[in-house]
Amino acid sequence: MEALEPIQQTLSQIDKRIPDALRAALGLRKRRASILLDDAYVTSFVASFQQPSSQPRDAAPVDIDGAEPRAPLRMDWASCYASCHDEDAHFGHEDAGVVGVADGVGGYRKNGVDAGAFSRGLMTSAFEQVLTAEPGTPVCPYTLLERAYEETVASAATGGSTAVILSLAVAGTALLKWAYIGDSAFSVFRDGALLHRSQRQQKRFNCPLQLNGRRSGDSITQANVGEIAVRHGDVLVVGTDGLFDNVFDADLERLVRMGTALGFSPKNMADVVAGVAYEISMSGSTDSPYSSDSRKLRGDRRRGGKQDDITVLVAFIV
């Protein structure tokens, strides 16, 4: 499994990559802007990344006579991990076109249990199964998650976890397939616009569906499964709730559009998205999906982000 890189090692680099105007537009004030920003400049900058391409998002690629046939699509992916409790885990395998993210349930921490053990077990098992599979074997995300769950339970790993696994199937129509349980989530972007967003599974506010080692959690059969056709240029963003609790969908769309326009690599984009999520998580005033839901569902006056582990995985479909 990829060695996880703590964001603390790269925060200064990430900070420099976030344009001052975007920082101001998102309400990120940790760094003094290098220039004085008036409202007109911020509005103009944000507007330049506000509208996606005018091409219909479901339009088919145009065939050009005499053009060389394009190679099968693949995932060009990278990740960034901002550790708070060190209970997230993830993996990716470019040749197999498979990625996964898991988030250990923090409630187990109160009882002195290693709340990251189950998430690490899930991702380690899934990665090892991909490694040992015959090259070219199609990967079914649900089957992979189910087998990883059984192996992790058999290992007597403590705690519980949410998880999401996605695979790229390129036989015929290219399909992005998924299986997830809980609130580890993903979004697919096309031509700068949100094409698909997974829906979190939760019993109540801040209580997601989860798998655990005692089989007393939710059933693996409750995992959400599905697929969507993808094409060259699509962008996949996968993350734990540390990302999606802190960054609104509209702001994530804006970040992806900006990164695409500026020629970011998957690693650049993962770093910047994680950096933005991290700064919001540490803010007591910037609004976030978590605080917004808290106000709606609990009737409180909460503002700011939610401090948590933040895993961001970005894959370009190329």
Side-chain angles (χ1 to χ4, degrees):
M1 186 159 45
E2 178 188 89
L4 303 182
E5 178 186 8
I7 195 173
Q8 286 85 350
Q9 297 178 9
T10 58
L11 265 179
S12 61
Q13 299 172 21
I14 293 168
D15 195 58
K16 296 174 184 176
R17 293 186 190 131
I18 303 176
D20 290 336
L22 182 67
R23 178 181 297 279
L26 296 176
L28 305 178
R29 304 288 183 177
K30 283 182 73 77
R31 170 168 62 86
R32 176 187 288 275
S34 58
I35 57 175
L36 293 177
L37 301 172
D38 58 31
D39 291 342
Y41 178 80
V42 172
T43 301
S44 175
F45 178 86
V46 172
S48 69
F49 297 109
Q50 194 66 33
Q51 297 300 323
S53 167
S54 60
Q55 180 182 10
R57 280 178 279 168
D58 58 354
V62 177
D63 292 328
I64 301 175
D65 292 338
E68 290 292 327
R70 180 171 286 167
L73 295 178
R74 62 182 179 84
M75 285 186 185
D76 180 12
W77 73 278
S79 63
C80 186
Y81 179 40
S83 175
C84 180
H85 307 292
D86 198 19
E87 294 161 357
D88 282 4
H90 71 282
F91 80 97
H93 194 293
E94 185 171 321
D95 291 341
V98 185
V99 295
V101 165
D103 179 8
V105 177
Y108 288 94
R109 196 185 322 122
K110 300 175 183 177
N111 300 320
V113 171
D114 180 359
F118 208 82
S119 62
R120 291 191 296 271
L122 284 174
M123 295 295 96
T124 298
S125 174
F127 183 60
E128 289 176 349
Q129 290 181 55
V130 172
L131 280 179
T132 56
E134 188 72 22
T137 303
V139 176
C140 171
Y142 177 81
T143 300
L144 184 59
L145 180 59
E146 182 180 38
R147 290 175 178 171
Y149 169 61
E150 294 296 340
E151 284 195 1
T152 307
V153 169
S155 74
T158 57
S161 181
T162 67
V164 55
I165 293 177
L166 302 103
S167 70
L168 180 63
V170 295
T173 301
L175 296 173
L176 181 69
K177 300 184 177 185
W178 65 79
Y180 66 86
I181 190 158
D183 56 6
S184 289
F186 68 94
S187 296
V188 183
F189 299 88
R190 175 170 297 168
D191 300 324
L194 181 63
L195 179 67
H196 179 83
R197 164 76 151 86
S198 62
Q199 299 301 307
R200 62 188 174 191
Q201 298 176 310
Q202 62 179 12
K203 303 169 187 177
R204 58 187 181 276
F205 177 70
N206 203 33
C207 183
L209 269 62
Q210 57 194 259
L211 304 173
N212 70 30
R214 300 195 304 264
R215 297 187 185 273
S216 59
D218 300 293
S219 170
I220 186 66
T221 61
Q222 293 175 264
N224 182 294
V225 299
E227 62 184 37
I228 187 173
V230 291
R231 68 189 191 199
H232 175 77
D234 288 350
V235 177
L236 169 66
V237 179
V238 191
T240 53
D241 63 345
L243 167 62
F244 292 100
D245 276 348
N246 285 300
V247 180
F248 287 104
D249 288 344
D251 289 332
L252 182 57
E253 183 181 67
R254 191 182 306 171
L255 285 164
V256 170
R257 189 177 303 134
M258 179 200 73
T260 302
L262 296 178
F264 282 8
S265 69
K267 180 59 176 169
N268 292 151
M269 194 176 291
D271 282 354
V272 169
V273 171
V276 168
Y278 175 81
E279 291 197 21
I280 295 173
S281 77
M282 300 298 289
S283 170
S285 58
T286 304
D287 204 12
S288 68
Y290 183 83
S291 59
S292 176
D293 285 348
S294 184
R295 293 195 302 272
K296 293 175 185 176
L297 300 175
R298 299 198 293 196
D300 58 26
R301 298 182 179 180
R302 184 184 178 101
R303 302 286 296 183
K306 178 190 177 188
Q307 294 184 33
D308 201 353
D309 294 325
I310 300 169
T311 296
V312 178
L313 188 153
V314 172
F316 292 174
I317 307 300
V318 295

